[in-house]
């Protein structure tokens, strides 16, 4: 028997589901074709700081790709949903994280400006990074 459960709506859409297939649990994610416009890209570009990790990450835009840079590498960001990206596909990431990838979910203020992001990976969830230029305001 198969049981499918659509998880709660996010931004007006079902983005995730759980499947129970003969007592085997599977997770699914909606696949969307999304592209970034110039104004969207500029909202993400900047320097971000995590107090928890005392670490700085930068997001830049080069050769048509949004890139995440940190002390170990520069990795492409793959858009998954609006304001949500995945990374960890570079050769460097496969070497030091065993092929696992990270998720980045951008946070916005009331004026709809990107103010930071939450970084999640298998070893840590929702580590908060704040956009450095937003800290000065």
């Amino acid at each position: 028997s198969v049981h499918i459960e659509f998880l709660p709506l996010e931004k007006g859409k079902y983005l995730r589901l759980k499947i129970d297939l003969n007592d085997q649990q599977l997770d699914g994610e909606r696949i969307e074709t999304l592209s970034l416009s110039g104004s969207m890209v500029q909202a993400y570009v900047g320097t971000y700081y995590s107090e928890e990790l005392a670490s700085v990450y930068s997001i830049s835009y080069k050769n048509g790709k949004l890139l995440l840079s940190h002390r170990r590498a520069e990795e492409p960001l793959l858009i998954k949903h609006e304001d949500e990206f995945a990374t960890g596909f570079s050769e460097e990431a496969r070497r030091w994280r065993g092929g696992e990838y990270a998720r980045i979910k951008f946070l916005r203020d009331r004026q709809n400006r990107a103010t930071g992001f939450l970084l999640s990976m298998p070893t840590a969830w929702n580590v908060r990074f704040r956009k450095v230029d937003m800290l000065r305001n």
Side-chain angles (χ1 to χ4, degrees):
S1 71
V2 176
H3 180 263
I4 300 174
E5 175 187 359
F6 289 90
L7 298 178
L9 289 170
E10 295 177 40
K11 299 179 184 177
K13 297 178 184 177
Y14 289 107
L15 300 180
R16 293 173 177 75
L17 58 79
K18 289 188 179 209
I19 302 170
D20 184 344
L21 179 62
N22 297 325
D23 295 325
Q24 180 183 7
Q25 302 294 317
L26 305 169
D27 294 319
E29 182 175 359
R30 182 183 188 124
I31 298 173
E32 298 181 290
T33 302
L34 300 173
S35 60
L36 295 171
S37 68
S39 61
M40 287 175 68
V41 167
Q42 289 310 310
Y44 302 127
V45 169
T47 303
Y48 298 80
Y49 177 74
S50 169
E51 285 185 30
E52 185 177 351
L53 300 179
S55 184
V56 174
Y57 280 29
S58 297
I59 296 179
S60 60
Y61 187 69
K62 297 177 189 170
N63 301 321
K65 292 182 181 180
L66 208 53
L67 302 168
L68 175 72
S69 301
H70 47 87
R71 65 184 176 90
R72 293 188 180 179
E74 183 174 77
E75 302 179 42
L77 289 175
L78 174 66
I79 189 166
K80 302 294 280 183
H81 305 290
E82 183 180 344
D83 284 342
E84 288 188 41
F85 295 81
T87 189
F89 304 107
S90 69
E91 193 60 39
E92 177 68 16
R94 284 193 289 277
R95 230 183 348 268
W96 69 270
R97 280 202 304 252
E100 297 288 355
Y101 66 90
R103 285 283 178 122
I104 293 175
K105 182 172 184 164
F106 281 90
L107 305 171
R108 293 185 176 271
D109 63 12
R110 289 185 179 143
Q111 289 77 36
N112 204 32
R113 296 177 300 185
T115 59
F117 61 79
L118 299 175
L119 174 71
S120 295
M121 60 180 64
T123 56
W125 287 8
N126 294 329
V127 177
R128 184 176 295 270
F129 282 77
R130 297 210 183 272
K131 200 168 189 180
V132 172
D133 64 346
M134 300 304 285
L135 294 173
R136 293 185 202 126
N137 294 338

